[in-house]
Amino acid sequence: MKTSFRSKSQLFFSRVLIVCLLSVAMSLLPDQANADNIITSGTTLRVSAGTTLVSTGNLVINSGATLNNSGTVNLKSNLNNQHASQNSLGSGTVIFSGTAPQTISGNNTIQNLTINNASGVTNSGQTQVNGVLTLTSGRVNLGAYNLTLGTSATIGGAPSASAMVVATGSGQMRKSFAAAGSFVFPVGDNTGTAGYSPVTLNFSAGSFASGNYAGVNLVNAAYPGSAGSYLSRYWNISQSGISSFTCNATFQYLVADVNGTETSIWCVRVLPEPQTNYQVANTTLHQLTANGLTALGTFTGKLPITDKILNLTLYIEGFFNGTTMNQAQDVDDDLNQFNKFPGITVDTLSIYLAQASAPYNYLFWAHALNLNTGGNVSTNVPGSLSGNYYIAVFHRSGVQTWSSSPVSFAGSTINYNFTTSAGQAYGSNQKDLLGNGSVWGIFSGDITSSGGFQDGYVDFFDLVNIYNLNVNSAYGYQPADLTGDGFVDFVDLIMDYNNNVNGIGMNTPQNPAKRPMLGR
């Protein structure tokens, strides 16, 4: 049967042509003048359940035309949907089964899609599948366009290097989730030798908004900067509309991807920075695994970066006793003093690392770090931070204090001592604790805050706050107790008054508006 839908006048009795020959295959053959089978604007081509419609020429759906497929449409050539917005092709199955490369153009929503063309299919539009994507033979090349699977969509066939989704462009293979669950993205590359490298995302918890998706694409190359032992492959994983989630991810790689020693390779997330290490590679299954993800990003296999150790030495004016520091005290309702922290911990503080140049953004922070009586405090720093950074110290009653200049983090252990001279702090902004220039410490007295932020200065508001608490015989562990003895007393008031009179405040290279909220 030879038919071409080229004008509304050819449909004599109705604008709707119904194909309802049960258990019969109907062929649409291109006419001699034009190789396209065209559904014209205002026309509906309806394919009933149980009916197979075969198009040997390009099937063109004009804007304003409808393909209402409840059966099977078997395409031997291209599909060109000219609707400007997403357009449903019905509840049936569309098969691409040509022998030459085929193309899906336009914004098509297809219930069931089967790829059975060894020469491959190019996705040149935003394609959504809501039922079953069956990969029988041939690869779907995404290029710059997305292939999205709906919340109920599944994968059929036997995905492999010869039957997969090639997601090496900017387009993603996306999956929408109705609830927590697992999905295998049958993706890979066709660069040189085709490589099947699927990704499994298993969401064990999360909130899944309408229109959500998780998306995957990949690059068949080493992540920039990889050295030693690594994979020549990385995956970009993103999401939209999925919040408060926990996810386990598995990445299948090829033996040919391995450079160096496979047993030394770990699954790492390289973006967002800093690099995060997960599990060592499974060298039997050739898989990478990242468990317990609460954020997605770019993943690859490479050597793990081990943490560095940052050791600081510093004194806080109010706690200094002439040789070491006194431990912070708390007081019960019977006015009995006791150490707030166990061991030799004086108090806790926060450490930030900031960029070496404007805008001096914070790249790392650690809260609730124990400062001991000898002035020592340490924290682990991600090994990926190997440049030069300012070190900033924040204490609940101290003035924000930065290192005098950016400090190199090239080594595995970084030591910095604020106590040896005023010049160890930015702007030489430290207190001469003994009055002879031998020992220096962080000024005390900045206790007032707005919205959780210390204002950076020992000002009138700090002084009034301490005065009022002193008058009311306040006690216990609180910022206004500058000396840490458990009582807001006259000594605290005098210390704050002197620093206020002397105009003490932070001196940093950073805009004051960028002060962080402190951990308590």
Side-chain angles (χ1 to χ4, degrees), residues 87-409:
N87 179 244
S88 173
L89 305 190
S91 59
T93 299
V94 177
I95 301 173
F96 285 81
S97 61
T99 55
Q102 292 176 269
T103 300
I104 307 174
S105 298
N107 304 306
N108 297 282
T109 298
I110 302 170
Q111 182 63 24
N112 302 308
L113 174 62
T114 297
I115 305 298
N116 190 17
N117 180 353
S119 296
V121 175
T122 297
N123 182 46
S124 292
Q126 306 299 345
T127 302
Q128 175 153 338
V129 177
N130 288 330
V132 182
L133 171 62
T134 302
L135 299 171
T136 302
S137 175
R139 308 177 189 100
V140 183
N141 297 286
L142 298 188
Y145 296 94
N146 301 317
L147 171 60
T148 302
L149 275 64
T151 55
S152 300
T154 59
I155 300 295
S160 66
S162 59
M164 64 178 177
V165 177
V166 176
T168 51
S170 58
Q172 294 181 318
M173 182 174 187
R174 294 176 171 178
K175 177 68 172 73
S176 297
F177 291 82
S182 181
F183 184 78
V184 179
F185 294 76
V187 296
D189 74 278
N190 194 23
T191 308
T193 301
Y196 181 53
S197 53
V199 175
T200 302
L201 296 182
N202 184 2
F203 289 94
S204 58
S207 296
F208 301 86
S210 175
N212 77 80
Y213 66 81
V216 175
N217 59 16
L218 65 138
V219 177
N220 180 28
Y223 186 79
S226 298
S229 297
Y230 59 92
L231 297 183
S232 293
R233 185 175 301 273
Y234 59 94
W235 299 261
N236 302 305
I237 317 295
S238 66
Q239 62 83 20
S240 176
I242 305 176
S243 58
S244 302
F245 64 84
T246 302
C247 178
N248 294 341
T250 302
F251 307 88
Q252 188 73 49
Y253 61 88
L254 284 68
V255 174
D257 294 334
V258 176
N259 297 271
T261 305
E262 187 175 3
T263 54
S264 298
I265 293 174
W266 284 59
C267 179
V268 300
R269 185 177 62 199
V270 289
L271 291 176
E273 294 180 323
Q275 175 177 311
T276 304
N277 305 324
Y278 292 98
Q279 284 72 41
V280 68
N282 184 324
T283 58
T284 301
L285 299 177
H286 309 299
Q287 289 180 345
L288 302 177
T289 302
N291 290 331
L293 295 172
T294 56
L296 304 177
T298 298
F299 296 81
T300 190
K302 62 196 299 263
L303 294 174
I305 296 179
T306 56
D307 286 350
K308 303 170 185 285
I309 301 294
L310 171 61
N311 299 315
L312 298 183
T313 303
L314 59 96
Y315 293 130
I316 297 173
E317 177 188 8
F319 293 85
F320 189 70
N321 60 22
T323 54
T324 60
M325 286 188 291
N326 296 318
Q327 292 180 261
Q329 301 293 296
D330 205 345
V331 177
D332 62 24
D333 289 341
D334 293 324
L335 301 185
N336 297 310
Q337 294 173 288
F338 57 92
N339 291 339
K340 176 65 178 177
F341 301 98
I344 58 172
T345 296
V346 171
D347 205 348
T348 62
L349 49 74
S350 298
I351 294 174
Y352 284 71
L353 300 186
Q355 292 173 321
S357 57
Y360 308 106
N361 289 327
Y362 296 111
L363 303 176
F364 168 82
W365 49 87
H367 297 308
L369 300 174
N370 292 331
L371 174 67
N372 68 27
T373 54
N376 307 118
V377 58
S378 299
T379 185
N380 289 345
V381 175
S384 55
L385 293 174
S386 56
N388 297 328
Y389 313 105
Y390 280 104
I391 301 170
V393 177
F394 296 81
H395 177 255
R396 63 191 178 98
S397 63
V399 172
Q400 178 185 157
T401 303
W402 288 44
S403 58
S404 59
S405 59
V407 176
S408 172
F409 277 69

Side-chain angles (χ1 to χ4, degrees), residues 71-94:
T72 301
V73 174
N74 193 340
L75 302 178
K76 302 296 183 180
S77 190
N78 302 323
L79 171 64
N80 181 3
N81 191 336
Q82 297 180 351
H83 284 257
S85 57
Q86 206 68 24
N87 179 244
S88 173
L89 305 190
S91 59
T93 299
V94 177

